[in-house]
Every structure is written in C-alpha cells, then in structure tokens.
Amino acid sequence: MLFLTLYQIIDYLVSIIVFVVIVQFVLGLLIAFNVVNMHNQFVAAIYQALNAILEPMLRPIRKFMPNTGAIDFSPMVLIIGLTIIQIILANLARAYA
C-alpha cells in the first residue's frame, strides 16, 4: 500500500513536470515567432521562472545530446524519460499491490 501511495505522488509530480515542459516549449515558440514580446515583464518573468525550474533537469541531458543547432531536443528526451519512469513505477506498484 505504501508503494502505491509513493507511486501516485511521483506520478503526480511527473505529470506536473511534463506540463511545465510543454508550457515552456509553447511559450518559447510564441517568443520566437514574436507573438508575445520578452519586453513584457510578465512574459519575461514567467519564461525565466520556467527556465529556472527546468534547467537543472535539462542540463544533464544537454551534456549527452549532440549539438543539433537551433533545435533543442532535450525537453522531448526529458518527457520520454519521465514517461518511461512512470511506466516502470506503475508496473512495480501493480506487482506489489
């Protein structure tokens, strides 16, 4: 029962991280295509906060990934890795439940 509770907590946290990665990606696209402006203090604060949250998780991934120029695949690798962890923990939770 304890493992199932821990799995649910970790699952919830992983879902939040995936949501934040997607929000950062969409906001980055909106900034790149000049839909929103970084001169707006609210947009700049949100973008900096998202980068501060995600950079510790993305930095180790970027060290191992090859340089692809302007396209950063590290958020996608992070989402895939977190999804794999969710699947493994879900199977372990079912096995011990």
Side-chain angles (χ1 to χ4, degrees):
M1 197 65 165
L2 177 67
F3 193 76
L4 183 61
T5 304
L6 289 174
Y7 162 71
Q8 290 173 340
I9 292 170
I10 292 171
D11 185 52
Y12 185 68
L13 292 173
V14 166
S15 298
I16 290 172
I17 293 170
V18 169
F19 178 75
V20 170
V21 168
I22 292 170
V23 168
Q24 182 202 32
F25 174 74
V26 170
L27 186 59
L29 284 178
L30 293 174
I31 291 169
F33 289 110
N34 287 325
V35 176
V36 294
N37 196 342
M38 282 295 285
H39 295 295
N40 183 340
Q41 290 180 353
F42 179 73
V43 172
I46 297 268
Y47 193 67
Q48 289 173 355
L50 293 174
N51 283 335
I53 292 169
L54 292 177
E55 188 60 30
M57 291 177 265
L58 294 174
R59 189 180 310 119
I61 297 171
R62 288 183 181 133
K63 286 181 183 178
F64 293 106
M65 300 232 359
N67 188 5
T68 57
I71 301 173
D72 184 17
F73 289 109
S74 59
M76 182 177 64
V77 172
L78 178 64
I79 290 174
I80 292 170
L82 290 173
T83 304
I84 290 171
I85 290 171
Q86 275 183 319
I87 292 169
I88 291 170
L89 291 177
N91 289 334
L92 286 173
R94 284 188 206 113
Y96 290 113

